[in-house]
Amino acid sequence: MASNLLKNIIKLDTRVSVSQNVCLPIRCLSTASPRVKDKTGKNIVFVDGVRTPFLLSGTDYAPLMPHQLAKEALIGLMRKTNVPREVVDYIVYGTVIQEVKTSNIGREAALAAGFPHSVPAHTVTMACISSNQGITTGIGLIAAGAYDVIVAGGVEFMSDVPIRHSRKMRSLLLRANKAKTPLDKLKLLSTFRPNFLLPELPAVAEFSSGETMGFSADRLAASFKVSREEQDQYAVRSHTMAKEAQDKGYLTDIVPFRLPNSSKVIEKDNGIRVSPIDKLAKLKAAFVKPHGTVTAANSSFLTDGASACLIMTEEKAKQLGLKPKLYLRDFTYVAQDPIDQLLLGPTYATPKVLEKAGLSVKDIDVWEVHEAFAGQILANLKAMDSDWFAQKYMNRQSKVGVPDLSKWNNWGGSLSIGHPFAATGVRLTVHTANRLVREDGQFGLIAACAAGGQGVGMIVERHPDATAL
């Protein structure tokens, strides 16, 4: 049952690792399997993806602007794939908390990265699945025949978020701008009150419910009887696996970032910290105080970072002499109750995308699921293992089923690597691609929850030419 599965997920010695140069012939040939239909008629492929190192907000990236991070991700992608910028037809880029000076950050980053002025770009936002949306929007543009080569990605910069004047102050300033006479200005000045000067910070709460996501995670963990100990154990697992992947050189999606006007080069994520479980146990509740179970250590942290990836038709990739990593086979977006089921996107998306692709839970060789909170991950696993939940809430006769946890987030996840909201989707996808090679798998499933009670599920298939570099 679920309790035993939760014990198994913290075992760190069950992973199978395959050298990057090893590829078993039978499995490699099977990547062309007709089991999953190509619905576009174009065999759309994920060529490769990159990201800047993900850093805790307020650290080395703090003096920058978000478009600078996005620019470096775009430049890094073009360098790694050796594709001329002129070949790119369109750019779809994600961000969640926008810098007001660069509202269409996809366009501004593309111009800064040296893309031709003739390459259009637009910016998407769908909370934590924004760069997933960038990828799937690109799939749609290619499938429709509009373009052949798409760059998708995302950036988040939590070191400097827009802080506004209060609405009353904004109104006063706008009216003052229209005042024509000194008397009009004096009349407006007389309406000013000191509380107008109170700043308006970006909301950390769900607009529809007024709850912070951490509060929702605490309630979700309580609903599924996920203990504090289980959450802390999962957090240790995430950091341990991320550190191992980092030490072994598996995180090849990272492109080094040289800080402007400095000789310092950032080469790795700085949020990965393996701590003893007893140290985590001493931390106080972060949201529901004093008895909540969600803490700073078992939650993802505010992160700065950017990502970018290249997708196109398989035919175009062959013309350009590229070796893709994945076939992008299927995807779905879901939405559910944003109050009680805010973070259950993976539970709802997984069966839908599997059924669309004609696969089952057992067919998935690599799982990459966004870790917003340890409690969120464990609650999803329990929901997927519950016939009652499936019948009551999902209109299903039986449970989704629990993934093979030895194939689950084996290089850590957002809890340890970091979570720059709009950049995470590409990170999940390229880690899936590289893990499929190293672990000799065929199919990967990517899933994530997002603010507003939404979620995504994607099915990808290893390409015969894929490498983990």
Side-chain angles (χ1 to χ4, degrees):
M1 297 300 290
S3 58
N4 293 326
L5 291 165
L6 296 177
K7 291 177 182 177
N8 290 337
I9 201 170
I10 65 170
K11 292 181 180 178
L12 305 179
D13 58 353
T14 57
R15 302 184 305 288
V16 176
S17 180
V18 179
S19 165
Q20 65 191 33
N21 297 316
V22 175
C23 186
L24 303 181
I26 294 176
R27 178 63 98 174
C28 286
L29 288 172
S30 72
T31 56
S33 166
R35 289 177 58 200
V36 177
K37 295 180 180 178
D38 170 37
K39 298 176 181 178
T40 67
K42 297 189 176 183
N43 263 340
I44 298 171
V45 295
F46 177 93
V47 175
D48 209 344
V50 303
R51 62 185 176 92
T52 67
F54 286 178
L55 303 188
L56 289 152
S57 64
T59 56
D60 283 315
Y61 292 152
L64 307 179
M65 290 184 67
H67 77 280
Q68 292 175 283
L69 289 180
K71 163 194 161 185
E72 291 303 317
L74 293 172
I75 290 173
L77 178 68
M78 295 298 100
R79 284 178 180 163
K80 187 172 185 182
T81 59
N82 200 29
V83 171
R85 291 166 176 79
E86 295 75 17
V87 171
V88 175
D89 295 318
Y90 201 91
I91 297 171
V92 189
Y93 215 75
T95 197
V96 179
I97 300 180
Q98 291 187 346
E99 161 60 56
V100 294
K101 292 181 179 179
T102 55
S103 58
N104 185 2
I105 198 166
R107 176 63 170 169
E108 302 303 334
L111 293 174
F115 282 83
H117 294 177
S118 58
V119 178
H122 81 268
T123 299
V124 297
T125 185
M126 201 173 182
C128 302
I129 54 179
S130 293
S131 58
N132 300 88
Q133 183 59 250
I135 293 170
T136 58
T137 297
I139 292 172
L141 291 170
I142 294 171
Y147 304 107
D148 293 321
V149 180
I150 303 288
V151 167
V155 63
E156 215 62 51
F157 192 69
M158 301 304 294
S159 288
D160 181 26
V161 295
I163 299 174
R164 304 194 299 179
H165 284 296
S166 69
R167 185 160 191 166
K168 290 179 180 179
M169 190 66 186
R170 297 199 307 270
S171 175
L172 180 65
L173 291 172
L174 289 171
R175 285 182 288 144
N177 192 47
K178 296 178 181 179
K180 296 181 179 179
T181 68
L183 182 60
D184 289 338
K185 292 179 180 180
L186 282 172
K187 286 180 179 178
L188 281 174
L189 186 60
S190 69
T191 67
F192 172 78
R193 299 292 182 271
N195 65 359
F196 287 14
L197 296 176
L198 293 173
E200 188 175 283
L201 299 174
V204 293
E206 293 288 308
F207 184 80
S208 58
S209 68
E211 280 186 352
T212 65
M213 190 172 283
F215 192 94
S216 297
D218 234 324
R219 287 198 302 108
L220 186 68
S223 296
F224 282 91
K225 295 181 172 56
V226 179
S227 70
R228 165 71 181 272
E229 183 182 9
E230 287 174 323
Q231 293 174 63
D232 288 349
Q233 287 174 337
Y234 186 89
V236 170
R237 175 192 191 269
S238 182
H239 282 270
T240 301
M241 289 186 157
K243 184 66 166 62
E244 183 176 319
Q246 187 179 69
D247 290 346
K248 289 183 175 180
Y250 287 174
L251 306 184
T252 57
D253 52 327
I254 294 177
V255 290
F257 187 101
R258 181 182 291 276
L259 294 174
N261 305 314
S262 170
S263 60
K264 185 172 184 178
V265 177
I266 311 298
E267 296 183 320
K268 62 181 182 179
D269 309 314
N270 72 356
I272 300 172
R273 295 190 175 99
V274 181
S275 301
I277 191 74
D278 58 344
K279 185 176 180 180
L280 271 62
K282 295 177 182 178
L283 294 180
K284 295 181 179 180
F287 299 99
V288 179
K289 301 176 181 180
H291 302 299
T293 57
V294 175
T295 71
N298 58 41
S299 308
S300 57
F301 47 86
L302 296 179
T303 316
D304 300 334
S307 63
C309 69
L310 186 65
I311 67 173
M312 62 184 69
T313 62
E314 185 176 32
E315 181 181 3
K316 187 69 175 181
K318 289 181 179 178
Q319 290 174 7
L320 295 172
L322 300 171
K323 294 183 176 181
K325 289 182 180 288
L326 295 171
Y327 292 108
L328 296 169
R329 289 307 194 196
D330 225 321
F331 65 88
T332 192
Y333 290 92
V334 295
Q336 57 279 340
D337 176 6
I339 298 177
D340 292 327
Q341 298 186 15
L342 175 69
L343 302 171
L344 289 178
T347 297
Y348 282 88
T350 294
K352 287 188 176 182
V353 76
L354 285 173
E355 288 163 8
K356 286 183 69 178
L359 298 174
S360 70
V361 167
K362 293 181 180 178
D363 291 317
I364 301 303
D365 302 300
V366 164
W367 295 81
E368 280 289 335
V369 181
H370 165 49
E371 299 170 347
F373 304 88
Q376 159 254 332
I377 286 287
L378 298 174
N380 272 275
L381 287 170
K382 287 194 174 186
M384 292 170 72
D385 194 34
S386 170
D387 286 319
W388 175 84
F389 186 86
Q391 292 163 6
K392 182 172 178 62
Y393 293 107
M394 300 178 68
N395 196 30
R396 296 176 60 83
Q397 293 301 310
S398 59
K399 62 188 178 184
V400 176
V402 176
D404 181 342
L405 300 178
S406 69
K407 301 175 181 179
W408 178 280
N409 288 10
N410 282 356
W411 292 355
S414 300
L415 287 173
S416 48
I417 293 170
H419 176 41
F421 305 141
T424 291
V426 169
R427 197 272 300 166
L428 291 169
T429 307
V430 73
H431 280 198
T432 301
N434 292 340
R435 281 186 55 207
L436 281 170
V437 175
R438 292 190 184 275
E439 297 169 21
D440 190 34
Q442 180 176 358
F443 293 111
L445 192 148
I446 299 154
C449 58
Q454 302 192 101
V456 67
M458 297 172 63
I459 295 290
V460 297
E461 184 176 8
R462 175 179 162 192
H463 193 276
D465 297 333
T467 70
L469 298 179

